Amino acid sequence: MEHIHADSRGAFKNEWLESRHSFSFSEYHDPARMNFSSLRVINEDWVAAKGGFPMHGHRDMEIVTYVMEGALSHKDSLGNGSAIRPGDVQRMSAGRGILHSEFNHSETEAVHLLQIWLLPTVTGIHPGYAQVHFPLEQRCGRLQLLVSPDGRDGSLSINTDTCLYASILAAGETTHWVKPDKRAVYVHVARGSLILNGMTLQAGDALAIPEATPLELAFSSDSTAEFLVFDLPIARE
């Protein structure tokens, strides 16, 4: 298991964006952190009021947006337009090419989000978009499936061999999850702190687990903990 500390991530800041990069991204490059299995990017972004990303393109990538605070407005070349708020999960399949923009139209409040990129199973597909609201109370005290290859249990379907779960634990709560055999796991702490198999993780920390290991995730702070669990194919060498 590898403990990835929050303060070891790449960093970027300008007049409207502050970002932390768990993996190599843009001008931040670390050959040891190119990806973990099919997980290519986790960017923790704070977009200032009236700031945002102008129209730009992607291809052959599965992109998941997970908003923790505020509201992010989305428009794309497929004609979709939406606002993404806490509890919403957006999946964009870039496929053979898509353009999109993301803006914070608030006059006063920042948007805090995770932008997640996953390597696709099949390239060159027709681009696609989907967004689902998962009430936050449904993940309190348990792992809730948000994204999966087959869209089971109401999750968003995605063109990659990855299942994404989220959970919110209150002080003293514990939840259990046993990793499927011959799978890798990546746990990212969005807020608060966790004890994972006896190891304490703080907000922004992650644990990369390539081998078959039963997991016990337990909250270890006085405030709420929010975290994501990625069930992935065995990590690529």
Side-chain angles (χ1 to χ4, degrees):
M1 293 190 293
E2 180 187 3
H3 183 179
I4 300 163
H5 294 271
D7 59 7
S8 72
R9 297 177 295 175
F12 173 84
K13 187 173 183 179
N14 64 18
E15 64 275 10
W16 58 267
L17 174 67
E18 183 173 352
S19 187
R20 296 291 181 270
H21 309 316
S22 296
F23 300 96
S24 294
F25 185 84
S26 187
E27 296 179 3
Y28 167 62
H29 180 76
D30 182 347
R33 291 191 185 171
M34 296 303 299
N35 62 282
F36 180 74
S37 180
S38 55
L39 180 55
R40 175 61 188 85
V41 166
I42 299 181
N43 288 346
E44 183 175 10
D45 293 337
W46 293 263
V47 180
K50 298 185 286 187
F53 303 91
M55 195 68 74
H56 60 283
H58 298 280
R59 64 180 301 128
D60 289 329
M61 193 65 68
E62 298 293 301
I63 300 172
V64 175
T65 302
Y66 183 100
V67 171
M68 293 182 285
E69 294 177 326
L72 189 71
S73 296
H74 165 93
K75 291 184 179 180
D76 64 43
S77 54
L78 301 178
N80 298 299
S82 66
I84 314 165
R85 296 181 171 88
D88 297 335
V89 178
Q90 181 199 83
R91 183 269 296 150
M92 190 171 65
S93 296
R96 56 178 176 262
I98 192 169
L99 300 172
H100 79 131
S101 64
E102 297 170 299
F103 275 92
N104 177 7
H105 290 298
S106 171
E107 297 286 330
T108 57
E109 296 183 357
V111 178
H112 184 196
L113 69 133
L114 296 175
Q115 185 181 108
I116 299 158
W117 294 11
L118 295 151
L119 301 173
T121 301
V122 180
T123 59
I125 66 170
H126 186 76
Y129 168 91
Q131 182 173 322
V132 171
H133 180 73
F134 298 90
L136 295 174
E137 59 269 20
Q138 293 182 2
R139 71 193 69 163
C140 292
R142 60 183 288 268
L143 283 166
Q144 181 183 34
L145 181 64
L146 304 179
V147 171
S148 68
D150 56 3
R152 66 183 183 273
D153 299 330
S155 62
L156 279 168
S157 61
I158 194 166
N159 175 35
T160 185
D161 183 14
T162 301
C163 291
L164 170 60
Y165 299 83
S167 182
I168 298 172
L169 297 183
E173 283 190 314
T174 300
T175 190
H176 300 263
W177 184 69
V178 178
K179 175 161 58 89
D181 192 28
K182 299 181 180 178
R183 301 287 289 179
V185 164
Y186 190 93
V187 179
H188 178 88
V189 181
R191 289 188 280 206
S193 62
L194 292 173
I195 296 173
L196 174 54
N197 281 16
M199 185 177 297
T200 299
L201 307 179
Q202 305 295 336
D205 285 3
L207 198 62
I209 309 168
E211 72 280 359
T213 306
L215 301 181
E216 176 181 299
L217 300 108
F219 180 65
S220 64
S221 178
D222 293 331
S223 60
T224 301
E226 184 173 1
F227 60 97
L228 305 181
V229 177
F230 296 84
D231 169 12
L232 303 154
I234 294 296
R236 301 169 184 175
E237 298 297 330

